[in-house]
Amino acid sequence: MLSGGLRGKWVRACAGGALSMALTCTGVAMAPAAVAQTATATCSTDSGAKGLASSPVAGTLVSVERADGRIAQLQLFYDATATGGLPFVWHREQNGPGGAYGGWQRVSAATVGPKSYAMTALENSAGRMELLFSTYGSFCHTVEDDGAAGGWSAVDAFGLAPTPYHGGVVLFKERDGSIDAFASGAYGAGSMELRHQQDATAGWGPTRSMGQVPDAGVGLSQPSSVEQLPDGRLHVAAREWNRDRTWEIWQSAPGGGWGPWQLTAP
């Protein structure tokens, strides 16, 4: 899990569309390859839980700035009536910019955990919040839907499934309002995977690989930084999960493929 300070930086980065880092490089164009989904975990639910916010899970509060200036908050809560002992995602929002928060409402009966309690959210081009959370080695997805029971769409498997201890999913909003979801590759060490949403109507595209790190035995964590360069290309940096080395990669063209992974200077 990210610390409170780092989580705040990621939320601001997602809302603003860029992290400041002045780096340039020329990469070799490579078309992103679609990843075969050989095993996608279903989103586990605990239908026996009565929907009580019995106690919060420490360190899980996530704040998301909305386009209208309000702040939405998401947090994990344990439910004393749950049969599996895993927490659930709850949601509340300010009534107006700078105003008081409404009451906590449970998003769904889907459980979070057990090995990773990662959770992230971002407002899409239609002004609805996209929510991702970890469950049993994969990430689940739901989006705000006023017409659905509870105000959220049915929870479904998102496809990204980072190896345990390699971090969670990082969401990034580009200047045109499109969204990227990055995570350490589930199958094969030293890779990163990506899904892209051009707009809310189009939905999420397929899971694609950003290529393999050239060194053997490398396992990447979630991206430590994502930025959009002045020319529209993306730059991603990720630290190895068990070693103090960082790799970076540049998009070959806006919305295009990716060059090779390169080891940053110490």
Side-chain angles (χ1 to χ4, degrees):
M1 291 294 298
L2 295 176
S3 67
L6 289 177
R7 184 182 301 111
K9 292 180 181 178
W10 274 117
V11 170
R12 290 193 293 273
C14 291
L19 299 177
S20 62
M21 182 185 293
L23 295 170
T24 58
C25 181
T26 301
V28 179
M30 295 173 61
V35 176
Q37 297 300 311
T38 56
T40 302
T42 58
C43 296
S44 177
T45 60
D46 188 339
S47 58
K50 296 181 179 179
L52 303 180
S54 301
S55 59
V57 180
T60 62
L61 181 66
V62 173
S63 296
V64 181
E65 185 176 351
R66 310 214 62 159
D68 62 6
R70 293 177 301 123
I71 301 296
Q73 291 187 331
L74 298 151
Q75 186 160 15
L76 302 183
F77 283 87
Y78 289 110
D79 186 332
T81 65
T83 59
L86 294 176
F88 304 84
V89 182
W90 288 65
H91 164 245
R92 70 176 183 177
E93 300 201 5
Q94 287 178 315
N95 297 324
Y101 284 93
W104 285 106
Q105 301 290 328
R106 193 178 73 168
V107 171
S108 75
T111 56
V112 184
K115 290 185 178 181
S116 169
Y117 296 89
M119 174 178 55
T120 186
L122 190 64
E123 192 174 84
N124 63 25
S125 62
R128 298 180 182 276
M129 195 147 53
E130 306 264 352
L131 168 64
L132 299 173
F133 56 90
S134 177
T135 182
Y136 289 101
S138 184
F139 269 76
C140 294
H141 167 258
T142 181
V143 62
E144 282 181 308
D145 183 354
D146 295 337
W152 293 82
S153 67
V155 175
D156 59 358
F158 193 66
L160 297 180
T163 304
Y165 314 116
H166 287 213
V169 175
V170 169
L171 293 174
F172 181 81
K173 181 178 284 187
E174 299 189 38
R175 289 191 290 268
D176 63 359
S178 61
I179 303 173
D180 302 291
F182 299 91
S184 173
Y187 307 107
S191 65
M192 186 75 65
E193 292 179 351
L194 164 70
R195 291 191 71 180
H196 179 76
Q197 182 190 102
Q198 186 58 40
D199 56 60
T201 301
W204 290 95
T207 301
R208 295 185 177 276
S209 173
M210 295 169 61
Q212 201 84 6
V213 171
D215 282 13
V218 171
L220 293 178
S221 297
Q222 68 184 39
S224 51
S225 68
V226 182
E227 65 165 341
Q228 189 168 23
L229 303 174
D231 63 6
R233 293 179 301 130
L234 299 182
H235 166 256
V236 177
R239 185 182 176 275
E240 294 181 33
W241 75 275
N242 62 345
R243 187 162 46 170
D244 191 17
R245 299 198 310 176
T246 299
W247 295 81
E248 56 190 343
I249 191 170
W250 286 261
Q251 225 173 6
S252 56
W258 298 82
W261 286 97
Q262 299 183 27
L263 187 64
T264 64

